[in-house]
Amino acid sequence: MPPFPDLVAAPLSGVRVLSLALNLPGPAALMRCRAMGASCLKFEPPGGDPMAHYNQAAYAALHEGVTIEPADLKTEAGLAQLHRALDQTEVLLTSFRPSALAKLGLGWDALHARHPALCQVAIVGAPGARAEEPGHDLTYLAESGLVTGTELPPTLYADMGGALLASEAVLKAVLCARGQPGTGLYLEVALNASADWLALPRSWGLTRPTGAVGGAHAGYRVYPCADGRVAVAALEPHFAARLCEAAGLGTQDMMAPAARAALADWLRTRTRAELEVMARERDVPLLTLEP
C-alpha cells in the first residue's frame, strides 16, 4: 500500500478551488479538479453560465459535485461575497481577459495584495500580450495547423486540452504553495498553447500524409469493408505481419502503396464480423465501424 493512499487517490483532497470561468475550458478543468478530490465552488453571473442555456446535459456533467453560487461581480455586494470566499480558497480559476479582471479590481496584483496566500490559474486564449485577442477553439486549432479543408474538427481539442493543462496548473500551484506556505502563485494557461501541444505529432511529421500514423503505413489506416469501415492499427511489425498473413499477402513493405492497395482490396471483401473474429484470433488491433 502506498504510504499516503489518500494523496495518491485524491491529490487535491482538502484543497478548495473557486472558479469564475464559464463555458467549456474552465468548467472542464474544474471537473478534473473535482475528480482529484478538490472541493469546488463556482460563482456564476446573474444570467448563469451560457453552457447551461445551449447544452444542459453538458453543463450538468461538467458541474456534478460543484457548488454553484450566483454572484454579480459588477456590484459591491458581489465582490464582497467573492472576497469572503477567497479568504477560504487555495486556488482561483479564471477565464476572463486580463482587462476584464482589472476592471473588476481582480487583477493579479490587487488579488495578491488582498489574498497573499491565494494562487490563480488564469485561462486565456493566447499568452502574454496576446491575451486580449478574441479567439475560440476553432481559431486556435487553425493557428496550430489542425484544421484541414472546410470541415469542423470532431471535438473541441484546444478547449479540452486547455482544461487538462489548467488542472495540471492547479496541481502545480498547490505543490508550490505547500513548499512555500503563505506565498501565492499566478499561472497562465493559453488555449492556443494547448493546441500547439496537441499539434506536436503533426509538426514532427508523424501524422502528415507521409508519416507512419498519417496514412503512409498500410497497417495504420481506415479502410472500407464489406458492410462498413475498419480502423486498422497494426503499426508494429508483429501486428502488421499477422494482418498480412490473415490477408494471404505474405511479407509486405508496409510503407509501399502496393501494400495499401492489397490490404484495401482484401478488407473490402470482409464483413465487420469476419474482421472482428480475425482480430481476436490473431491478436491484431483493429476496430470495425458503421459506414
Side-chain angles (χ1 to χ4, degrees):
M1 178 180 292
F4 304 105
D6 291 341
L7 289 178
V8 173
L12 292 179
S13 179
V15 173
R16 181 154 105 164
V17 179
L18 192 159
S19 177
L20 304 177
L22 306 176
N23 287 311
L24 182 57
L30 199 63
M31 183 185 191
R32 297 298 303 161
C33 291
R34 180 78 181 92
M36 289 186 283
S39 172
C40 296
L41 171 64
K42 183 185 176 198
F43 279 16
E44 293 187 356
D49 190 320
M51 178 71 79
H53 300 290
Y54 61 76
N55 194 313
Q56 182 61 44
Y59 177 85
L62 287 165
H63 294 87
E64 183 177 356
V66 175
T67 300
I68 308 293
E69 290 188 15
D72 188 351
L73 300 183
K74 295 180 180 179
T75 67
E76 290 186 7
L79 285 173
Q81 177 187 352
L82 174 64
H83 285 296
R84 285 193 300 270
L86 290 178
D87 285 335
Q88 307 298 321
T89 295
E90 283 75 28
V91 183
L92 172 66
L93 184 65
T94 62
S95 62
F96 296 100
R97 297 187 199 184
S99 61
L101 288 173
K103 287 180 182 178
L104 295 171
L106 299 175
W108 172 244
D109 289 341
L111 279 173
H112 189 52
R114 186 160 182 171
H115 307 282
L118 178 70
C119 295
Q120 180 185 358
V121 173
I123 301 173
V124 296
R130 294 186 59 198
E132 294 294 331
E133 293 180 7
H136 226 306
D137 184 275
L138 182 60
T139 57
Y140 306 135
L141 293 182
E143 182 182 354
S144 296
L146 295 178
V147 176
T148 56
T150 58
E151 294 295 321
L152 291 174
T155 191
L156 300 173
Y157 292 107
D159 283 354
M160 296 305 286
L164 289 175
L165 292 183
S167 60
E168 178 184 278
V170 170
L171 280 171
K172 180 179 179 179
V174 169
L175 287 173
C176 290
R178 287 173 179 170
Q180 297 179 310
T183 302
L185 180 68
Y186 175 87
L187 295 171
E188 185 180 82
V189 173
L191 296 179
N192 74 337
S194 78
D196 286 344
W197 170 255
L198 295 175
L200 280 175
R202 189 165 185 83
S203 70
W204 295 329
L206 293 173
T207 61
R208 293 188 182 276
T210 55
V213 291
H217 190 287
Y220 199 93
R221 293 177 65 92
V222 179
Y223 292 94
C225 62
D227 56 353
R229 297 170 294 152
V230 55
V232 180
L235 186 63
E236 292 82 354
H238 59 286
F239 288 139
R242 293 170 192 167
L243 176 63
C244 290
E245 182 182 10
L249 300 178
T251 302
Q252 293 282 324
D253 174 5
M254 300 302 281
M255 298 295 287
R260 296 195 292 275
L263 274 175
D265 288 343
W266 180 75
L267 290 166
R268 196 175 290 112
T269 67
R270 296 301 187 269
T271 65
R272 294 175 63 189
E274 290 172 332
L275 291 172
E276 288 166 2
V277 170
M278 180 278 293
R280 286 194 300 270
E281 291 179 346
R282 295 178 179 266
D283 191 31
V284 174
L286 62 77
L287 182 71
T288 65
L289 305 163
E290 293 181 355

